[in-house]
Each structure stands twice: as C-alpha cells, then as structure tokens.
C-alpha cells in the first residue's frame, strides 16, 4: 500500500514538473518572453487546486468571455427558453380586407430571426409564416405601414470600447431588439484583371437594403482570401469598403454589418408582401406605442440550448450580445449592455464568487476592457460543474478534436482523455478555458491566457497547446 502511494505521488510530482517545464518554456520563448502568461488548473472531483502560475493576474479573455454569458443564460433562462417576436395590427379591417392601420413587428431580441443558417429561419421562410398569419386575419391589403418596435433593447448596438475597424464587419454588428438576418449582409466583389486594379461590387444580399457604399477595394494576389474591412455605424446606411480580394475571383463574398436591422426587416417585409399581392401604402417607420394592437402571430426562436451551443461552438458575437441584453431585460426590465453585465455580476455574487480583478463590459469578449483572472475562471467553472445546468452548458463547449473552434486542436491528445473548451483570440490575445476528464475519470477545470504578445497568434498557439497537453495528465 505504501509503495503504491509513493508511486502515485511520484507520478503526480512528475506530471506537475512536466507542466512546469511547458509553462516556463512558453514564458521564456521569444514569442512570449515579453508577454503575460497565466495558468490555473483545479481538480473538481478531488476538490483541490493542482496547478497555478501567475493565476491572479487580470488579463483580457477575448471570446472566452462568452462562457460567462451563456452559462448564466442557462441558469436564468433555461435550455428550453425561446425568444418571442410578435406581429400585431392597429386600426380596423374593412369588409374588403383592407387594414386601415399598421402592422407592427415587435422584436424580442431573437438573434436568429431571419438567419440564413437555418432553413426555417431564412427571410423567405420567416416572411411566408408571417404572410399566412396576416391572411388568416383577413387582411388583403394595408392602408398604412409595416412598423417596427425594437425597444426591448436600447438602440445602442455597439459598445463604446469596440474598435472602429470591427463594428462595420459582420462580427461587430451588435445586438438590436429586432435582429434580422443576423444583422449582417453579403457584399459580392468581382476582382480586377491584374494586381492592384479596382475590384467592383457586383451585388449585395439580401437585396433591397438601403446601403450607400464607397468602394476602395482593389485586387490582391490569387488565393489571398478575404482582406476586406468594412467601416460604418449601425445607425447609418453609409459603408466604406477597404482592402483586397483575390485575383481571378468573381462574386467573392464578404460579410458586413447591416444598417439598422430593425428598419431593414420592416423594409424587406414590406417588399415581400407587395410581391405576394398585398399592397402597403406607407413606408416603414419605428412605432413604439401599440397597446391597442391586436395579435396576428407570435414567432418563436430556436431553443436557448441550440442558440447557446451555436454561440460557443462558433464564437458568435451577435448571439452572445443578444443573450446578454436579454438577461438585462429579464432582470432589470431594460435590455442594455450595462444591465446585462450587471446581471452577470449579480450571478457571480449570488454564487459566492470573489470578483476582485474581474471587469466585464460586454457579453462576447470583443472589448479589450474585459479582464478576468485564470483563478476566477476556474472558480466559476467549478461552480458551474456543480449546477444542474452543467450538462447542457458543457455540451455547448467545443470538444477537442471533434467540433467547433477546437476541432483541429491538440491532435495528439490521448483517446482516454476528453477536453471541452472555449477559446478566445484577438490581436495580442489568446485564451482557453474549459473542462478535462483525465485518464482516471477525474473532472478538472482549467484556464490559460496569454496577453500582449507581438507575434502572430499562430506562433503562440503551439506553446499553449503544449501546456494544455500537460494539464491533461494532472491528477
């Protein structure tokens, strides 16, 4: 018995030593020598910390922060929750089927409304559902307008700390109370005939959007990929296109942030109704008073489980920001980023988490003002592992070697070890956090964050992968 214990202790010490070596090699490498590196590992099954390296430093987590938003969403909303978008009408319908009044689209913060990702949510499917309901009410034409109400959330889609170079692009679109088509659009370019020549805009999709573009895109080398940056604010129809598209490509698609998604939804629905024989006399307009409105239909989103899973697996910023604002709405009656963050911090407090060194300003991690410590992340993950929502939450994280952002991560991870991960990446930032089931069946949680490196992320990632490989051997 004593010999077996000594052997176990010796193996544990050896494994910790190998992790120490990996951490120190990373920290002393040319890539991270002047950067900040933090590591923390906790054995949940045994109720003890097993490794710590500068784990109380406050560092930028990037998209790893989505874990907090989605986890609290599971707790406060539930896996079966669905966002609700309502259609109402005001006025009266005469004997000829003419509505003398308005149809109002009342947003509920649904991030997948009109999404191009799912067959049942694409604009044509969504609008067809609404059309059937409108006809079911006896409406054959509208002597009025298609109005929109996005007031469940504030009208500030962008966080003040997001970078100008992000917010015109699809990943920086922000959340509206009436999201539509994931608040993004496609712009298709035709490259020029030689390097440096102008690349023309062929068309945009969805069609019919109110966009005024200034195109400065030129032709780059063949196979150079998407190097286009789109500049523009959510409230403005003006978009400026800069950068390059690859030589020889036609209809090369780039995704941008849609101007005023709530208004765009109403505008495109107006055009859809008219194409189906239902005339609408007026132009879309925002309308916040509809207390006298009569119900047409309530449209429900995918379940929260599906939305949260997609949020974490693909690191979708819009989904995370919509969840955050809805948490703010649910708890404080107004869907703002500030109220959403307040709801997260309140949950941390309810859970007994010391938040020293923690600062959150958004729900997706796009802001460089977000800071957490690896030690805090592990304490948070430990608490989540003890909650009834753990199975749903953990399934929303990427499985190393299988799916999401971790599909090609750690290819040499032993088959008797499982790892669930949420990653984060931005310039000078790389982070990972999640759960490890080790060879003995113990459940561990971990966090590793690197900040302020000046090389490419691809040069830092092998060091962090080696650290995580050694984490998986800890007891």
């Amino acid at each position: 018995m004593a010999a077996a214990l000594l052997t176990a202790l010796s193996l544990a010490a050896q494994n910790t030593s190998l992790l120490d070596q990996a951490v120190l090699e990373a920290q002393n490498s040319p890539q991270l020598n002047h950067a900040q590196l933090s590591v923390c590992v906790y054995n949940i099954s045994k109720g003890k910390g097993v490794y710590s390296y500068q784990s109380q430093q406050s560092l930028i987590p990037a998209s790893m922060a989505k874990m907090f938003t989605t986890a609290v969403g599971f707790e406060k909303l539930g896996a079966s929750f669905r966002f609700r978008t309502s259609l109402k009408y005001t006025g009266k319908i005469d004997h000829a089927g003419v509505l003398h009044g308005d149809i109002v689209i009342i947003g509920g913060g649904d991030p997948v409304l009109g999404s191009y990702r799912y067959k049942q949510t694409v604009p044509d499917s969504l609008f067809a559902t609404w059309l059937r309901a409108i006809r079911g009410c006896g409406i054959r034409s509208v002597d009025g307008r298609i109005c929109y109400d996005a007031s469940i959330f504030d009208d500030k889609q962008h966080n003040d700390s997001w970078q100008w170079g992000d917010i015109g692009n699809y990943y920086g679109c922000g959340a509206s109370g009436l999201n539509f088509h994931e608040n993004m659009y496609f712009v298709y370019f035709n490259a020029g005939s030689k390097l440096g020549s102008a690349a023309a805009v062929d068309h945009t999709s969805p069609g019919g959007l109110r966009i005024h573009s200034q195109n400065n895109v030129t032709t780059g080398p063949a196979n150079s990929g998407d190097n286009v940056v789109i500049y523009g604010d959510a409230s403005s129809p003006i978009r400026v296109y800069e950068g390059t598209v690859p030589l020889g490509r036609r209809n090369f698609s780039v995704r941008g942030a849609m101007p005023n998604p709530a208004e765009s939804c109403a505008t495109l629905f107006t055009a859809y109704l008219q194409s189906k024989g239902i005339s609408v006399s007026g132009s879309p307009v925002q309308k916040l008073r509809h207390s006298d409105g009569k119900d047409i239909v309530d449209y429900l989103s995918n379940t929260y489980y599906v939305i949260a899973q997609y949020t974490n697996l693909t690191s979708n910023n819009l989904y995370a920001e919509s969840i955050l604002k809805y948490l703010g709405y649910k708890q404080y009656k107004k869907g703002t980023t500030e109220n959403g963050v307040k709801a997260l911090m309140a949950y941390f407090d309810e859970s007994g988490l010391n938040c020293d060194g923690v600062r959150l300003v958004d729900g997706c991690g796009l802001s460089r003002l977000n800071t957490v410590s690896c030690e805090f992340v592990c304490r948070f993950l430990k608490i989540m592992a003890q909650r009834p929502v753990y199975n749903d939450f953990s399934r929303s994280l990427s499985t190393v070697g299988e799916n999401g952002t971790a599909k090609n991560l750690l290819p040499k991870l032993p088959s008797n070890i499982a790892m669930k991960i949420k990653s984060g990446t931005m310039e000078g930032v790389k982070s990972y956090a999640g759960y490890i089931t080790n060879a003995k069946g113990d459940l561990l949680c971990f966090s590793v964050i690197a900040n302020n490196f000046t090389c490419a992320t691809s040069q830092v990632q092998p060091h962090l992968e080696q650290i995580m490989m050694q984490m998986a051997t800890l007891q």
Side-chain angles (χ1 to χ4, degrees):
M1 178 70 76
L5 178 60
L6 286 172
T7 300
L9 291 172
S10 175
L11 286 172
Q14 181 182 4
N15 292 338
T16 303
S17 177
L18 289 173
L19 178 54
D20 263 328
Q21 182 179 337
V23 169
L24 292 176
E25 284 181 359
Q27 184 70 89
N28 295 327
S29 68
Q31 293 79 20
L32 291 169
N33 190 34
H34 299 287
Q36 293 165 289
L37 178 65
S38 180
V39 183
C40 190
V41 188
Y42 188 91
N43 189 315
I44 297 170
S45 298
K46 293 181 178 176
K48 66 176 185 177
V50 290
Y51 191 81
S52 175
Y53 176 78
Q54 302 187 132
S55 65
Q56 299 206 21
Q57 290 190 85
S58 293
L59 301 177
I60 302 168
S63 285
M64 188 241 279
K66 291 181 176 73
M67 287 196 316
F68 307 125
T69 306
T70 53
V72 176
F74 274 115
E75 288 276 45
K76 298 297 184 179
L77 304 178
S80 60
F81 168 79
R82 296 175 187 266
F83 292 89
R84 182 186 304 269
T85 305
S86 299
L87 251 64
K88 294 180 181 289
Y89 71 88
T90 62
K92 293 185 178 180
I93 305 169
D94 68 20
H95 67 279
V98 178
L99 170 63
H100 300 280
D102 299 326
I103 292 175
V104 187
I105 307 170
I106 306 166
D110 179 3
V112 298
L113 187 78
S115 170
Y116 61 95
R117 299 182 193 276
Y118 309 97
K119 183 178 180 180
Q120 72 272 22
T121 63
V122 295
D124 276 356
S125 294
L126 170 69
F127 290 165
T129 299
W130 288 355
L131 173 62
R132 286 193 296 271
I134 287 169
R135 283 176 170 162
C137 291
I139 298 171
R140 298 295 177 262
S141 66
V142 180
D143 182 19
R145 305 155 299 185
I146 305 300
C147 302
Y148 56 92
D149 179 354
S151 62
I152 189 172
F153 294 168
D154 64 2
D155 58 4
K156 187 179 176 182
Q157 280 185 229
H158 302 136
N159 191 290
D160 288 341
S161 61
W162 290 358
Q163 296 185 356
W164 177 241
D166 289 336
I167 62 176
N169 297 282
Y170 74 96
Y171 57 86
C173 61
S176 165
L178 178 56
N179 299 304
F180 178 70
H181 200 256
E182 298 198 6
N183 298 354
M184 52 130 316
Y185 70 102
F186 295 92
V187 54
Y188 294 86
F189 292 92
N190 291 329
S193 58
K194 59 182 180 179
L195 288 178
S197 61
V201 173
D202 187 272
H203 68 285
T204 59
S205 177
L209 295 175
R210 189 166 64 95
I211 296 174
H212 305 295
S213 63
Q214 176 183 326
N215 179 27
N216 300 322
V217 174
T218 58
T219 303
N223 303 314
S224 56
D226 175 4
N227 289 298
V228 175
V229 177
I230 300 177
Y231 296 95
D233 182 78
S235 62
S236 169
I238 298 172
R239 292 291 179 268
V240 178
Y241 306 142
E242 301 279 359
T244 65
V245 295
L247 180 70
R249 295 295 298 272
R250 298 188 64 80
N251 283 327
F252 184 84
S253 67
V254 175
R255 292 177 288 178
M258 177 184 290
N260 198 334
E263 181 183 54
S264 295
C265 177
T267 298
L268 295 186
F269 186 49
T270 298
Y272 179 87
L273 289 178
Q274 292 173 333
S275 74
K276 299 299 181 181
I278 294 185
S279 63
V280 181
S281 64
S283 299
V285 67
Q286 186 175 24
K287 184 170 185 175
L288 303 182
R289 292 186 177 182
H290 41 76
S291 57
D292 59 339
K294 302 175 182 65
D295 293 337
I296 297 177
V297 68
D298 283 340
Y299 182 89
L300 300 179
S301 73
N302 305 51
T303 64
Y304 178 77
Y305 175 82
V306 170
I307 292 170
Q309 186 177 56
Y310 193 87
T311 303
N312 284 333
L313 289 181
T314 66
S315 210
N316 188 290
N317 292 334
L318 166 66
Y319 289 22
E321 291 303 305
S322 297
I323 294 167
L324 182 81
K325 284 191 173 184
Y326 196 89
L327 289 170
Y329 165 76
K330 180 177 174 64
Q331 192 152 337
Y332 302 108
K333 309 305 179 187
K334 183 65 178 179
T336 67
T337 299
E338 292 75 16
N339 281 347
V341 169
K342 188 177 173 183
L344 296 188
M345 300 304 288
Y347 178 80
F348 298 155
D349 186 59
E350 292 166 13
S351 303
L353 283 168
N354 183 327
C355 293
D356 288 351
V358 175
R359 182 187 188 189
L360 297 179
V361 300
D362 66 19
C364 68
L366 195 58
S367 173
R368 300 186 76 90
L369 295 183
N370 294 312
T371 60
V372 297
S373 69
C374 284
E375 189 261 348
F376 172 82
V377 173
C378 279
R379 285 190 284 114
F380 172 80
L381 290 170
K382 173 196 169 190
I383 285 174
M384 292 311 303
Q386 297 164 344
R387 301 293 298 161
V389 301
Y390 169 70
N391 285 337
D392 286 336
F393 169 60
S394 64
R395 280 196 291 264
S396 77
L397 304 177
S398 298
T399 301
V400 166
E402 291 186 15
N403 60 12
T405 56
K407 185 174 183 179
N408 299 313
L409 195 66
L410 296 170
K412 297 180 181 179
L413 188 70
S415 60
N416 61 347
I417 295 173
M419 194 178 292
K420 304 284 288 185
I421 278 180
K422 180 71 194 82
S423 62
T425 307
M426 60 171 56
E427 187 174 357
V429 177
K430 189 65 183 178
S431 65
Y432 293 102
Y435 297 100
I436 300 169
T437 303
N438 68 17
K440 283 194 168 185
D442 288 350
L443 181 65
L444 288 71
C445 59
F446 75 93
S447 179
V448 53
I449 305 176
N451 273 194
N452 296 317
F453 49 86
T454 57
C455 60
T457 303
S458 59
Q459 294 178 275
V460 170
Q461 184 165 322
H463 294 292
L464 302 190
E465 288 196 46
Q466 183 58 31
I467 289 170
M468 288 188 289
M469 184 70 77
Q470 296 307 324
M471 283 179 187
T473 68
L474 294 179
Q475 304 299 318

